[in-house]
Amino acid sequence: MATMRRFLRPALTSVQPPPCRAISAGARRTMAMGAAASQPFFRYMSAWFCPFAHRCTIALEHHSDRVKYEWVEALGWEQRPNEDGTTGQGHEWWYHWKSEELLKHNPNGLVPTLVEAAAPGSGA
């Protein structure tokens, strides 16, 4: 181990960090405004119970400084009364629903689905 340290020491001491460039506050503001104007905006069709959608949510949140999105709950379950006796027990029946918007953009009705959209308040 001592031989390895002796071998690496000259290499480690010769490494210098790159010089830093000073950026003025005005230049930083201009860059931030340009970045905000060019940020893509998505409608994020998701389902709270889907593990694949959870991965996408984590990625979107991680990159929230570069990508903006609006969450749309596109899949779900709803309980309806058993009007026609389908269950045979008189209990309610659970129905899986998919939003029309999701089916329009993804005919298979799979989540997560990202659709590029105009940002709210952008006038587009």
Side-chain angles (χ1 to χ4, degrees), residues 18-94:
C20 293
R21 260 185 28 199
I23 300 175
S24 68
R28 260 190 246 121
R29 245 189 324 271
T30 304
M31 287 189 311
M33 287 172 53
S38 65
Q39 280 183 343
F41 182 79
F42 293 99
R43 286 184 57 81
Y44 170 46
M45 289 174 248
S46 182
W48 65 268
F49 52 84
C50 176
F52 304 106
H54 290 179
R55 288 179 177 182
C56 189
T57 304
I58 291 168
L60 285 169
E61 284 298 315
H62 179 75
H63 296 290
S64 63
D65 57 335
R66 288 178 260 159
V67 176
K68 299 296 178 198
Y69 69 95
E70 175 186 4
W71 176 292
V72 177
E73 189 68 31
L75 292 179
W77 295 92
E78 67 183 12
Q79 197 170 14
R80 297 181 194 163
N82 183 21
E83 296 169 352
D84 60 356
T86 307
T87 62
Q89 301 171 355
H91 298 296
E92 294 84 11
W93 195 256
W94 286 92

Side-chain angles (χ1 to χ4, degrees), residues 10-25:
L12 293 176
T13 56
S14 65
V15 175
Q16 297 295 324
C20 293
R21 260 185 28 199
I23 300 175
S24 68

